């Protein structure tokens, strides 16, 4: 069972690199006016924000991906070193395997040594005890509860009984003393689901919308017999999920993820309502198809390019970026109520 889980994790990583990536987070449907009178000194632009009690260098984190096997340990070691050197947070992948196997837990515990905001990760079906242990395993500043109904449905050996998630989340909120982030895994939190979660008292939402990593396709690739192409477009596009969540509450902390690849995506996500952004797949691509340096340079460049976007808009900090006016076009305009 544990070796099967390790194998599956490695297959996810390999298959991710082969996915078609044709889904659209709809950031292109957000129009921003250029500011020819930008009254800004580029060198004074401040991209930092406060997150979980710490000042981080930009509104971006590396989101949950892996842990368990040897490949995962190497990836977590590299990503956590990169995040530490850039002072951005990192979430580890699902810690289920670490709870069941002492050796596998080392691929998670290694991040404890790093001076950065550390975020744990488990599925919405796991017990309070499991969440406490997962948080302890990495000395977590927060823990993500992931919602992955779509992935499980298309995973040949996946769970098919999704009852009780909501009640379990409510219970965890009242019992766990570590901040909780409820996140999707690439199919997006709908307005209705965000409303329920905010109503239950969730303070941190990661919309993880469609338009980036596509777990339906990743799982479909693991099964040579099935062909589920008609589901590849399933999900709430990231831009819509952010706008919908923000329309429900001014206070909930929104993490915009799902298809964030560029600084323009990052800026647009913030302008339409996210407090910060997160990316997974693109960091993995630079790391595995490139190198440690390529991944580090890519993320470092995201910060420089975010400053360029901010200079083009005439804003000097993230609070001002959030106030920039925008217009919706195309499909996104049709989809937002
Ligand atoms: C993921 N993701 C993920 N999410 C989660 O909550 N727990 C997990 O264990 C994993 N595992 C995982 C493995 C791999 C290889 C990838 C690429 C992704 C989902 C991830 O955190 C994120 O929600 C989605 O990938 C969407 O963001 P991107 O990849 O489009 O930036």
């Amino acid at each position: 069972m544990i070796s099967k889980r390790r194998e599956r994790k490695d297959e996810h990583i390999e298959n991710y690199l082969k996915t078609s990536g044709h889904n659209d987070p709809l950031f292109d449907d957000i129009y921003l006016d250029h500011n020819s009178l930008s009254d800004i000194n580029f060198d004074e632009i401040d991209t930092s924000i406060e997150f979980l009690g710490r000042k981080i260098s930009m509104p971006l984190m590396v989101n949950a991906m892996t842990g368990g096997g040897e490949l995962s340990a190497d990836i977590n070691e590299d990503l956590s070193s990169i995040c530490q050197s850039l002072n951005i947070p990192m979430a580890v992948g699902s810690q289920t395997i670490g709870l069941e196997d002492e050796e596998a837990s080392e691929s998670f515990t290694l991040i404890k040594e790093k001076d950065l905001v550390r975020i744990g990760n488990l599925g919405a079906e796991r017990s309070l005890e499991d969440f406490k242990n997962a948080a302890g395993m990495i000395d977590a500043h927060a823990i993500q509860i992931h919602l992955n109904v779509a992935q499980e449905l298309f995973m040949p050996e996946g769970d098919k009984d999704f009852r009780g998630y909501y009640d379990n989340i409510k219970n965890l909120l009242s019992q766990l003393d570590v901040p909780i982030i409820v996140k999707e895994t690439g199919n997006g939190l709908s307005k209705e689901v965000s409303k329920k979660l905010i109503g239950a008292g969730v303070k941190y939402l990661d919309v993880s919308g469609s338009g980036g990593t596509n777990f339906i396709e990743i799982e479909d690739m693991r099964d040579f017999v099935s062909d589920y192409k008609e589901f590849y477009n399933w999900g709430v596009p990231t831009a819509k999920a952010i706008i919908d969540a923000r329309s429900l509450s001014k206070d909930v902390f929104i993490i915009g993820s799902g298809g964030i690849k560029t600084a323009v995506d990052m800026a647009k996500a913030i302008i339409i309502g996210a407090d910060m952004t997160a990316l997974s797949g693109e960091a993995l691509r630079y790391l595995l198809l490139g190198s440690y340096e390529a991944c580090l340079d890519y993320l470092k460049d995201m910060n420089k390019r975010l400053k360029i976007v901010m200079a083009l808009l005439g804003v000097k900090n993230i609070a001002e970026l959030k106030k920039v006016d925008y217009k919706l076009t195309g499909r996104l305009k049709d989809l937002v109520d």
Side-chain angles (χ1 to χ4, degrees):
M1 180 67 185
I2 287 166
S3 65
K4 180 103 186 132
R5 191 167 268 139
R6 276 189 194 184
E7 227 171 75
R8 181 167 77 223
K9 286 272 158 193
D10 288 351
E11 279 180 67
H12 285 161
I13 293 165
E14 281 161 26
N15 288 355
Y16 163 73
L17 297 172
K18 294 186 221 148
T19 47
S20 58
H22 67 266
N23 274 3
D24 186 352
L26 300 184
F27 291 122
D28 286 345
D29 287 346
I30 299 160
Y31 169 82
L32 304 173
D33 266 342
H34 168 60
N35 187 347
S36 315
L37 280 176
S38 177
D39 197 24
I40 293 292
N41 175 354
F42 184 83
D43 293 330
E44 286 174 6
I45 292 175
D46 178 5
T47 57
S48 69
I49 62 161
E50 285 277 328
F51 181 55
L52 298 167
R54 182 168 168 152
K55 188 172 173 178
I56 57 169
S57 65
M58 61 175 152
L60 180 74
M61 62 179 252
V62 170
N63 220 345
M65 275 186 281
T66 196
E70 245 173 73
L71 175 62
S72 301
D74 288 348
I75 293 172
N76 281 348
E77 174 61 38
D78 285 351
L79 290 178
S80 59
S81 298
I82 290 171
C83 289
Q84 172 178 253
S85 72
L86 297 177
N87 186 23
I88 57 173
M90 173 181 164
V92 294
S94 176
Q95 292 171 262
T96 305
I97 187 168
L99 294 174
E100 291 166 2
D101 174 3
E102 182 76 29
E103 208 186 309
S105 74
E106 287 165 21
S107 61
F108 298 101
T109 51
L110 60 89
I111 142 170
K112 253 202 227 185
E113 310 304 316
K114 305 284 172 12
D115 178 19
L116 78 171
V117 175
R118 295 175 296 273
I119 301 171
N121 185 288
L122 275 182
E125 74 288 358
R126 306 300 298 205
S127 68
L128 174 63
E129 206 50 35
D130 287 344
F131 272 88
K132 283 185 179 162
N133 291 335
M137 194 189 295
I138 61 161
D139 200 4
H141 296 83
I143 193 140
Q144 294 174 326
I145 305 180
H146 70 244
L147 302 173
N148 68 341
V149 170
Q151 182 189 4
E152 296 290 346
L153 279 170
F154 294 94
M155 186 191 298
E157 70 279 27
D159 284 343
K160 301 288 180 279
D161 182 355
F162 308 115
R163 288 173 300 173
Y165 287 2
Y166 180 66
D167 287 341
N168 198 33
I169 290 171
K170 281 205 288 195
N171 182 44
L172 291 166
L173 282 167
S174 68
Q175 306 278 335
L176 205 64
D177 48 18
V178 183
I180 287 176
I181 302 169
V182 179
K183 82 181 278 284
E184 241 291 338
T185 43
N187 296 95
L189 297 176
S190 71
K191 191 169 185 174
E192 212 40 50
V193 169
S194 289
K195 192 174 178 181
K196 277 184 91 168
L197 293 170
I198 293 167
V202 175
K203 301 275 186 290
Y204 298 86
L205 286 180
D206 179 343
V207 301
S208 201
S210 72
T213 297
N214 187 340
F215 261 101
I216 298 178
E217 187 176 355
I218 291 175
E219 290 299 346
D220 197 20
M221 273 186 209
R222 296 180 53 232
D223 183 343
F224 294 110
V225 182
S226 67
D227 178 359
Y228 288 119
K229 280 201 187 57
E230 81 260 38
F231 292 97
Y232 287 5
N233 277 325
W234 188 265
V236 186
T238 302
K240 173 177 163 53
I242 295 170
I243 293 172
D244 284 347
R246 181 52 73 211
S247 74
L248 298 165
S249 160
K250 323 196 281 311
D251 304 322
V252 66
F253 191 96
I254 297 173
I255 299 168
S257 80
I260 299 279
K261 294 193 165 107
T262 69
V264 175
D265 297 337
M266 191 183 356
K268 285 182 171 178
I270 299 222
I271 290 168
I272 61 172
D275 293 292
M276 80 180 242
T277 61
L279 56 75
S280 296
E282 203 60 4
L284 193 64
R285 197 184 297 280
Y286 275 92
L287 186 65
L288 296 185
L289 299 183
S291 61
Y292 179 93
E293 284 71 28
C295 183
L296 176 65
D297 288 348
Y298 163 64
L299 290 170
K300 209 189 271 176
D301 214 40
M302 284 287 267
N303 198 2
K304 183 179 142 208
R305 285 167 190 251
L306 177 62
K307 287 184 182 170
I308 295 176
V309 183
M310 289 167 72
L312 290 168
L313 293 168
V315 298
K316 60 179 178 306
N317 56 41
I318 301 299
E320 288 183 8
L321 182 65
K322 286 181 172 181
K323 293 190 196 129
V324 166
D325 213 6
Y326 64 92
K327 289 221 165 8
L328 299 184
T329 64
R331 192 162 160 241
L332 183 56
K333 188 175 181 180
D334 292 341
L335 288 175
V336 173
D337 310 326

